[in-house]
Amino acid sequence: MNAITRAITAELTNLQQLESEAIHVMREVAAQLERPVLLFSGGKDSIVLLRLAEKAFRPGRFPFPLMHVDTGHNFPEVIAFRDRRVAELGEELIVASVQGSIDAGRAIEERGPRASRNRLQTVTLLDAIEAHGFDAAFGGARRDEERARAKERIFSFRDDFGGWDPKRQRPELWNLYNGRIRRGEQVRVFPLSNWTELDVWRYIHAESLEVPSIYFAHQREVFARDGMLYANSDFVELMDGEAPFTSSVRYRTVGDMSCTGAVASVAGDLETVVGEIAATRVTERGETRADDRVSEAAMEDRKREGYF
C-alpha cells in the first residue's frame, strides 16, 4: 500500500470502508457474471444491499432483478414493506414461492407444533435459480452471524447442485475475486461479509434508511418456547402449557414466523436500537432463530444442501 492509499484509507471511517468494499464487490459481479440476482426479503441486511446497489449503479437500472424466496409464512408488515420498496425503486421483483414448491410436489409440508417452512426454502431457491438461469446471487449474510457463515468467502462457489464445500473455496487475496465458473455452477455473493450487525444498524442510521416496523418495539401477542418469544399466529401450533400473552417486543431478524423469535425490548427508534445492539453479546441468529438450534452444524448442513 503506497503513501497516497494509506492517507486516503486513514481518512475513511469504518462504515465508509465497508461501503466501498461492498460496492466494489457488486460491480465485480456485474462485470464478471452474466445473470446475477439480488435476494431481497425486506429484512435489514437486504435493505442495506439495496442502498449499496443504488450507489453502485444509479442513475441507471440495476443490472439484475430482485428475488424473494417467500415461505408464505412471513410477517405481513415485512411483505408490505418489500412490495412498496420495490415499487419505489421501479425494479423487477421475482417471488419464488415455497407454497408453489409444495403444490408441485417438490417439497413436503412439515406438520406439528415445531413445523417450519424454513428448510423448504432450499429447493425453492435452487429451482428458481435454474428456471431463470441465474449464475450469481447476492445475499446479505455476514460472517458474524454463525460459525458456518464465518467459513464463507465473499464469492462462495456452489456446484451443479447448488451444494457448498468449504474446502473447495477459492482464495481472495488483495480483494481479487475470480468469478469464472463452468456451466451449471453458481456463485453466492456476500458483499456484507465483513460487516457486523452493529455495522448494519449504524449504516441504516447514517443513511436514514426505512426498515419494517417490526424492527422497533411494539406490542405483540407472543408465547414462550425454548427460551424464545414467538408471534402467536395461524402458522404455529401451540403445545400443551403454552399460553399467548402480550408484550413489548421487537425483532432482530425477520424470516418465517414459525422459527423467528422476538426479543423483549422498548427500543422504539434507530438510536436506541443501535445502543441495544452495541450492548448485546449474542448474535441475532443465536438469540432468535430456532432453525439454527437444531444441531451444532444445522446451518452448515443446510448450506451443503444448497441453502444460502
Side-chain angles (χ1 to χ4, degrees), residues 119 146-149 151 164 291-305 307:
R119 291 185 65 91
E146 199 271 342
R147 278 175 283 186
R149 297 288 199 203
K151 298 179 182 180
W164 175 70
D291 48 326
D292 290 339
R293 298 185 178 189
V294 175
S295 72
E296 288 290 325
M299 172 64 79
E300 183 160 337
D301 290 343
R302 293 202 305 279
K303 285 167 60 62
R304 289 180 182 273
E305 295 169 359
Y307 185 74

Side-chain angles (χ1 to χ4, degrees), residues 27-44:
R27 288 173 173 167
E28 281 293 302
V29 171
Q32 294 189 47
L33 281 301
E34 294 183 3
R35 179 73 170 143
V37 66
L38 189 151
L39 296 192
F40 179 63
S41 64
K44 65 183 187 305

Side-chain angles (χ1 to χ4, degrees), residues 47-149:
I47 289 169
V48 169
L49 283 182
L50 280 192
R51 173 50 58 91
L52 294 169
E54 287 185 274
K55 293 194 174 187
F57 304 111
R58 287 298 197 231
R61 294 285 299 274
F62 295 168
F64 41 73
L66 311 178
M67 183 168 74
H68 182 211
V69 180
D70 188 349
T71 68
H73 291 176
N74 299 96
F75 292 91
E77 301 98 319
V78 179
I79 297 299
F81 174 87
R82 178 201 70 183
D83 293 342
R84 180 167 54 79
R85 187 73 186 102
V86 171
E88 290 170 354
L89 288 168
E91 298 291 344
E92 176 188 1
L93 173 68
I94 298 166
V95 177
S97 167
V98 170
Q99 182 63 56
S101 298
I102 294 170
D103 294 343
R106 294 284 294 152
I108 300 175
E109 183 87 83
E110 297 179 4
R111 302 295 179 186
R114 296 189 182 278
S116 171
R117 288 187 171 184
N118 204 53
R119 291 185 65 91
L120 306 186
Q121 292 179 91
T122 299
V123 67
T124 306
L125 171 64
L126 294 177
D127 285 352
I129 287 175
E130 182 177 5
H132 294 278
F134 296 131
D135 55 6
F138 292 105
R142 310 182 319 272
R143 291 185 179 127
D144 75 322
E145 289 182 80
E146 199 271 342
R147 278 175 283 186
R149 297 288 199 203

